[in-house]
Amino acid sequence: SASSFAALHKWMVHTIQDMTNANRIMVYKFHDDLHGEVVAEALSGTALESCLGLHYPATDLPQRARDLLLLNEVRYIRSAHADQVDLACSDGIDAGDIYMSACVLRAVHPCHLDYLRNMGVTGSMIMAIIVENRLWGLIACHHGEGPLCLPRPVRASCWKVAQVYTARLV
């Protein structure tokens, strides 16, 4: 029922917030026309505004980004203000030839960093919600009070919780 899904979404955002201490946790659901809606949210502090109930156009998450989320289901950005670091390669290897899509800690596209900064987000983690091999939605962890410091074990634990949540959606 709708009320049991609402309770599940609420459990998800509050559980992840307890684990990460991020200022805003959202469950972001994609509709059939690919636009997104924030269906659940947990807020702490005053750094970020509520997005609950907001709808975003499908173009906010380009198809290439959707495809990457199917490949790499967790995306962590410790700081939206950190300098990008070039990839150092051995002699004879061109950095442009290295396939980085499956890397967790790869550089972030400058447009996405601008998008985060414009929302007041200083650090984030996104976890894909995949149901029946399609991107159902996202769990977005946004922080607005400096870097979002999530050691690997915390990120892994959040991902396990997200998998339990996703299994309940089916």
Side-chain angles (χ1 to χ4, degrees), residues 5 8 12 15 37 51 66 75 77 82 85 89 99 106 109 114 116 133 137 139-140 144 151-152 156 159 163-164:
F5 278 117
L8 178 64
M12 183 67 214
T15 299
E37 176 186 5
C51 294
R66 292 170 193 265
R75 184 71 168 116
I77 302 168
V85 178
C89 296
Y99 181 71
R106 68 180 185 275
H109 195 284
D114 288 342
L116 290 174
N133 296 318
I139 299 160
R152 188 178 185 287
W159 178 235
Q163 289 174 316
V164 169

Side-chain angles (χ1 to χ4, degrees), residues 9-88:
H9 300 326
K10 185 176 180 178
W11 169 83
M12 183 67 214
V13 295
H14 287 284
T15 299
I16 295 297
Q17 190 168 58
D18 287 346
M19 296 171 74
T20 65
N21 292 315
N23 295 126
R24 180 174 58 214
I25 310 296
M26 300 180 292
V27 171
Y28 187 90
K29 179 185 178 189
F30 294 115
H31 291 269
D32 291 338
D33 65 358
L34 301 181
H35 90 276
E37 176 186 5
V38 178
V39 296
E41 179 182 62
L43 284 174
S44 69
T46 59
L48 300 174
E49 295 179 8
S50 176
C51 294
L52 185 61
L54 295 181
H55 291 251
Y56 294 88
T59 55
D60 265 19
L61 190 64
Q63 189 58 50
R64 176 72 179 135
R66 292 170 193 265
D67 293 344
L68 285 172
L69 282 166
L70 290 171
L71 173 70
N72 191 348
E73 299 169 29
V74 178
R75 184 71 168 116
Y76 172 55
I77 302 168
R78 183 181 181 278
S79 174
H81 297 283
D83 292 332
Q84 301 281 355
V85 178
D86 291 333
L87 186 62

